[in-house]
Amino acid sequence: MKSATNPKASTTTEVAKEAAVIHLYAAAEKIYPRSTFGFFTKWRWVMIWLTQIVFYGTPWLAWGNRQALLFDLEAKRFYIFNLVLYPQDLIYLTAILIISALSLFLFTAIAGRLWCGYTCPQTVYTEIFLWIEAKIEGDRAARMKLDKSGLSINKLLKKGSKHFVWVALSIWTGFTFVGYFSPIRELGTAVVNLGLGPWETFWIGFYGFATYGNAGFMREQVCKYMCPYARFQSAMFDDDTLVVTYDEARGEPRGSRSRKVDSTNHNLGSCIDCSMCVQVCPTGIDIRKGLQYECIGCGACADVCDTVMDKMGYARGLIKYSTQNAIVNAWSHTQMLKRILRPRVMIYAAILVLLVVTVCTSLWLRDPFKVDVIRDRGVMARLAEGGMLENVYRLQIMNATESAQHYQLSATGLDGLVVQSDVLDANHSVLVNAAETRGVPVRLQIPDGSVKSGSHTVRFSIHAVEDDATVTEKSIFLVPR
């Protein structure tokens, strides 16, 4: 006999399951970080000022008659103060990237996410945008109240003013970014005269939009879901890495109380459960739950907790920069710092120093010019006037200095070898302007029949007259049968 079923009950169960699934995908709540003051906050603002002065100011620095720092992609030259790098110098860019990565590993092994908390562009611009927001809309409570209020003239004015300043700063940031790849003074003139090219317009708009969106709206979402650093940071942490920590042994059991209450008599820890550490956190986490991947190590919670401890008359340091070993073993500050120079850190530091010294030495000994010898493959060998056999070459001379140079050419390797060129002067030299590349067609000649047939090695010697530097390049001279 079939059992009876209740269709209404089944429908109710299905609705309940669907409601439960929908609840799991609740939208993230907007975070309203509270402003705070303290030692780490001051240092964070020092780094904000420092990074922005460097970023916005560097493109305007002049070096001679050009921009001091310019990555000219169109001309395929990178100008870095007194250095001029060509595509052939890509090895230096690779070395800089490796040095940057190793520096990140070293700093992370010592003190966690210092980069994220103090100098990461996402953190820096989010902090600047929050400062603008607080100045226009008010503190945390005022901003929350404004967002919950209905549409009004006051709300439109405040929101409109805030977004106007945000957009202006974002466009200026995009303009500055493009100024590293296109001369910024010419770029400024083009903006004023409405003469920007399509690519310049695109990148100013794109970088400005990214700044506006990431710092104004996405904020902590970038750190939590888009940045890969948060995902692999645990591989660089160990028990002696300095991170923002909550002293659970001292703080628990937590509980609210007045200043007059003796926490010892009431079996309470130092934490008064005020949630201020959560309110100031830019990613909205509770540091009392332990180290979490969302923590960017900014120290805002440590600053506000110290303020609360001062008001309660308790010792500072309930939330502080410390290590797992220091917390577990109750080490002193000196004992903790002694563990900084551990094998892992020493290895990172040694490799980093070796790379930096190697790159600096290579740059110091770098030739002030480069030469590429390209043999004319269309003409293997040919007879010239006077019974001479000649091969044709093209020398690409790249002047990597900031002044015009004369380069004297000669060749060796075969008896009776003669250098001929229509662009060389009486001294067999050619002028190449500052930071330019010039192609020099050259013919090498020998008396026909003076050497046996086959491939013979010849060497071009190019001497910079003004800099007294010489570069030697090898090629081949073909003698047909």
Side-chain angles (χ1 to χ4, degrees), residues 177-451:
F177 174 77
V178 176
Y180 280 92
F181 301 90
S182 181
I184 198 165
R185 289 175 173 80
E186 298 176 12
L187 188 67
T189 303
V191 170
V192 173
N193 296 328
L194 302 178
L196 279 178
W199 281 112
E200 292 169 333
T201 304
F202 169 79
W203 283 111
I204 290 175
F206 178 82
Y207 199 83
F209 176 76
T211 303
Y212 176 71
N214 289 345
F217 297 93
M218 300 185 68
R219 294 182 179 173
E220 76 285 347
Q221 306 297 322
V222 175
C223 303
K224 292 166 68 174
Y225 304 118
M226 297 174 63
C227 178
Y229 183 46
R231 303 295 177 176
F232 64 77
Q233 62 170 337
S234 58
M236 294 181 282
F237 281 20
D238 57 32
D239 290 340
D240 291 303
T241 298
L242 277 169
V243 292
V244 179
T245 57
Y246 167 67
D247 192 343
E248 188 176 353
R250 176 188 160 190
E252 301 298 325
R254 69 187 74 159
S256 59
R257 85 282 317 243
S258 69
R259 299 182 189 179
K260 299 178 181 179
V261 172
D262 187 347
S263 60
T264 305
N265 295 337
H266 288 75
N267 192 29
L268 290 172
S270 296
C271 179
I272 65 171
D273 203 18
C274 62
S275 77
M276 293 291 286
C277 55
V278 180
Q279 295 180 31
V280 300
C281 180
T283 59
I285 66 170
D286 189 344
I287 194 64
R288 295 172 297 179
K289 295 180 180 179
L291 181 63
Q292 299 149 70
Y293 79 90
E294 297 96 337
C295 177
I296 62 173
C298 65
C301 54
D303 279 340
V304 75
C305 186
D306 284 345
T307 303
V308 173
M309 292 296 103
D310 290 343
K311 292 179 179 179
M312 295 298 296
Y314 299 161
R316 289 186 166 199
L318 179 60
I319 300 176
K320 60 185 176 182
Y321 278 96
S322 187
T323 68
Q324 184 65 28
N325 279 334
I327 292 293
V328 173
N329 301 312
W331 285 349
S332 65
H333 188 68
T334 303
Q335 289 175 309
M336 180 181 67
L337 293 180
K338 284 181 179 179
R339 288 291 302 166
I340 289 179
L341 299 178
R342 54 194 185 276
R344 185 182 202 175
V345 172
M346 297 297 289
I347 291 172
Y348 284 153
I351 296 175
L352 186 60
V353 170
L354 180 62
L355 276 174
V356 171
V357 170
T358 301
V359 172
C360 291
T361 303
S362 178
L363 286 172
W364 179 261
L365 299 176
R366 174 173 170 264
D367 291 321
F369 67 100
K370 295 181 181 295
V371 179
D372 287 334
V373 178
I374 305 171
R375 196 177 182 282
D376 190 345
R377 298 183 181 276
V379 181
M380 300 296 289
R382 65 188 180 191
L383 286 174
E385 296 180 358
M388 303 294 285
L389 180 69
E390 72 177 15
N391 282 200
V392 181
Y393 307 83
R394 183 176 182 84
L395 273 61
Q396 291 290 116
I397 303 178
M398 293 169 282
N399 182 6
T401 68
E402 294 295 302
S403 58
Q405 299 283 334
H406 287 88
Y407 297 97
Q408 197 171 47
L409 276 64
S410 61
T412 58
L414 293 173
D415 293 336
L417 190 63
V418 177
V419 178
Q420 295 288 345
S421 178
D422 296 332
V423 299
L424 298 180
D425 60 18
N427 296 321
H428 276 218
S429 64
V430 62
L431 176 67
V432 182
N433 292 326
E436 286 191 2
T437 301
R438 181 173 181 179
V440 180
V442 173
R443 305 186 302 276
L444 294 186
Q445 298 180 344
I446 59 172
D448 187 24
S450 61
V451 296

Side-chain angles (χ1 to χ4, degrees), residues 69-105:
L69 185 62
L70 178 64
F71 304 106
D72 195 339
L73 299 179
E74 185 177 357
K76 298 180 181 179
R77 296 187 188 92
F78 287 178
Y79 299 95
I80 306 175
F81 296 95
N82 65 329
L83 285 176
V84 181
L85 301 180
Y86 291 85
Q88 291 86 344
D89 297 313
L90 183 64
I91 184 66
Y92 293 114
L93 177 60
T94 305
I96 291 173
L97 293 176
I98 294 174
I99 289 172
S100 300
L102 279 174
S103 300
L104 186 62
F105 296 163

